[in-house]
Amino acid sequence: MTNGKLTVIGSGDAFCSDGRFNSCYYVEWGDKNILLDCGPTSLAAIRKCYLDPMAVDIIVISHLHGDHIAGIPFLVLEADKADKRKKPLTIITPPDGERRIKEVSALLYPDAISMFQNLDIRFVQYNKNEALEIEGFRMKFFEVSHNPLVNPHGFRIEKDSKILGYSGDTGWTDNLYQIADNADLFICECNFYEKETLTHLNYKKIIAEQQNLKAKRMLLTHFGKESLAHYSKIEGEKAEDGKCIAF
Ligand SMILES: [Zn+2]
Ligand SMILES: [Zn+2]
């Protein structure tokens, strides 16, 4: 059995509320290092955890909001200019991910397209309800309830008999049952404490559904200002930047 180790790189919302870094999780799993999302603060935050951004093999993107993808241009810049990287990198995205990531990279660094060409970078696009087998991991992707302009998804990653589930950014959707089902670790966004929206979850809804979300372990994350104001009342496991979890 191949166990994984997850380090919370960023447990904050888009605004880095309370100084938390943007969404990013570093998963050491077997002989691969997988990044779940890569917000703009990720390079600094990965280094604060004494991990190496250049050792990442696979990046899986949940949706195309800036707080989940805007670290990629800097990671690619370092890989090309500073690291002279030879190691392959696979970037797994929802539809239109490759175009948007290259476009934002080229706005920030005009020679970015040649950087993508110089490096051994492969983009893989997933679609909703699609199952992919990538570098020894089984991945399945589910549509979630967030701004449809950013192609939002949650997903499950499995290797041997271990399952990692990730909600991405989402309001309530019954697809969360499938994402969380029997997961050894289910990372669930908790942007709000009680505020109800279609695009983010709140703690009260998560608690109401906890019995139906049949994960073995649930980690709440993506805390915004309102949920942080009620932080001491949030029971269960809460993500903190730098926290490590074996699963
Ligand atoms: Zn977000
Ligand atoms: Zn978002």
Side-chain angles (χ1 to χ4, degrees):
M1 189 180 292
T2 313
N3 293 329
K5 182 183 150 203
L6 177 135
T7 303
V8 177
I9 303 297
S11 59
D13 62 356
F15 318 118
C16 297
S17 295
D18 276 10
R20 289 173 183 249
F21 290 117
N22 297 129
S23 290
C24 187
Y25 307 86
Y26 195 114
V27 187
E28 297 161 84
W29 200 345
D31 61 351
K32 299 291 182 196
N33 297 318
I34 306 174
L35 221 53
L36 314 182
D37 286 335
C38 185
T41 54
S42 295
L43 280 193
I46 290 169
R47 291 206 159 87
K48 280 200 82 167
C49 294
Y50 302 102
L51 291 166
D52 181 5
M54 292 301 106
V56 170
D57 301 285
I58 302 168
I59 304 175
V60 191
I61 297 296
S62 65
H63 66 294
L64 303 173
H65 267 149
D67 59 312
H68 295 253
I69 63 168
I72 294 177
F74 300 96
L75 194 143
V76 169
L77 180 74
E78 181 182 356
D80 185 54
K81 304 284 191 235
D83 191 61
K84 309 289 179 202
R85 182 181 169 122
K86 298 279 181 283
K87 187 180 163 83
L89 175 66
T90 301
I91 304 176
I92 303 170
T93 77
D96 208 26
E98 178 174 1
R99 183 185 70 81
R100 293 196 212 182
I101 288 167
K102 284 184 171 171
E103 219 166 83
V104 75
S105 302
L107 280 172
L108 297 170
Y109 295 98
D111 58 344
I113 297 308
S114 66
M115 287 190 255
F116 279 97
Q117 287 163 353
N118 295 342
L119 298 163
D120 188 358
I121 295 180
R122 170 174 76 123
F123 279 88
V124 175
Q125 179 177 300
Y126 63 77
N127 293 293
K128 66 177 178 181
N129 303 322
E130 189 169 17
L132 298 174
E133 179 90 31
I134 295 177
E135 299 183 36
F137 296 90
R138 286 179 302 285
M139 303 187 185
K140 186 155 188 198
F141 300 88
F142 301 85
E143 197 169 44
V144 294
S145 176
H146 201 53
N147 186 335
L149 295 175
V150 293
N151 303 334
H153 291 75
F155 52 80
R156 286 161 70 85
I157 304 178
E158 301 183 33
K159 187 178 179 69
D160 300 333
S161 57
K162 290 288 180 180
I163 304 170
L164 183 61
Y166 179 42
S167 69
D169 284 8
T170 185
W172 180 258
T173 160
D174 286 352
N175 281 347
L176 290 168
Y177 296 137
Q178 292 183 72
I179 296 168
D181 185 39
N182 202 34
D184 293 278
L185 181 63
F186 171 49
I187 306 162
C188 186
E189 81 119 282
C190 184
N191 197 77
F192 294 116
Y193 179 72
E194 57 192 354
K195 184 179 172 184
E196 294 189 8
T197 71
L198 295 175
T199 53
H200 284 292
L201 288 169
N202 67 61
Y203 173 65
K204 297 213 160 160
K205 178 64 176 173
I206 295 167
I207 289 304
E209 288 285 355
Q210 193 164 16
Q211 291 303 310
N212 304 318
L213 293 165
K214 297 191 188 321
K216 294 176 191 163
R217 187 171 179 178
M218 181 160 69
L219 180 71
L220 302 178
T221 191
H222 202 289
F223 296 108
K225 191 175 172 185
E226 188 247 15
S227 54
L228 289 166
H230 297 276
Y231 199 62
S232 62
K233 289 185 277 180
I234 296 177
E235 293 176 358
E237 199 165 3
K238 294 176 272 194
E240 307 272 352
D241 296 358
K243 180 179 179 128
C244 294
I245 294 175
F247 65 91

